[in-house]
């Protein structure tokens, strides 16, 4: 069984910064990709950013230049540095991972979500 646990959400003023982290646990052989999604009230879940095992990254247009995704391959963790936050960034942020697990198989896993609120 694989678990993803997010941390780092909270309340921040517009223009402020937050750093989200996601730790993995379980019988993981390798990580194909990890990323962050978000879901605002009344809206669909959307991709924020992801990073593949080779280091390739992908960002939503709305966060380019403000958010940076990074990954520690040795620890199978992923971080999201969020700068210049805007009220429209308010959402529950979910960690996602595509994994190869032991004894074999490819799975997708989700964290429980962490709330980010940007408000003055």
């Amino acid at each position: 069984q694989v678990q993803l646990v997010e941390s780092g959400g909270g309340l921040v003023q517009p223009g402020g910064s937050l750093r989200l982290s996601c730790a993995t646990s379980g019988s993981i052989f390798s990580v194909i990709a990890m990323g962050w999604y978000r879901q605002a009230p009344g809206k669909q879940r959307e991709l924020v950013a992801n990073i593949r095992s080779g280091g390739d990254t992908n960002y939503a247009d709305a966060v380019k230049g403000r958010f940076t995704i990074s990954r520690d391959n040795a620890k199978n963790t992923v971080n999201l540095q969020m700068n210049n936050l805007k009220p429209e960034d308010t959402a529950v942020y979910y960690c996602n991972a595509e994994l190869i697990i032991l004894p074999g198989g490819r799975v997708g896993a989700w964290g429980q979500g962490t709330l980010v609120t940007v408000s003055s």
Side-chain angles (χ1 to χ4, degrees):
Q1 187 174 357
V2 174
Q3 284 191 318
L4 306 181
V5 179
E6 302 106 333
S7 60
L11 173 65
V12 64
Q13 292 186 340
S17 298
L18 281 176
R19 182 177 176 88
L20 304 182
S21 295
C22 176
T24 60
S25 63
S27 301
I28 299 170
F29 177 73
S30 66
V31 177
I32 300 168
M34 296 188 75
W36 292 92
Y37 288 71
R38 68 186 181 186
Q39 187 167 17
K43 295 188 176 181
Q44 290 188 331
R45 191 173 297 189
E46 62 178 4
L47 174 69
V48 177
N50 61 16
I51 182 167
R52 303 194 67 82
S53 58
D56 291 342
T57 57
N58 181 43
Y59 293 92
D61 288 343
V63 307
K64 283 180 180 177
R66 300 188 297 121
F67 292 10
T68 302
I69 190 169
S70 61
R71 180 174 151 183
D72 184 329
N73 288 333
K75 296 180 180 179
N76 288 335
T77 59
V78 65
N79 302 303
L80 185 69
Q81 178 66 42
M82 305 185 293
N83 298 327
N84 190 20
L85 283 159
K86 304 176 180 181
E88 52 264 40
D89 295 317
T90 295
V92 177
Y93 285 70
Y94 297 90
C95 179
N96 171 265
E98 296 179 54
L99 310 163
I100 303 295
I101 60 172
L102 296 171
R106 179 172 176 167
V107 299
W110 290 92
Q112 81 285 355
T114 185
L115 178 63
V116 171
T117 303
V118 184
S119 175
S120 55

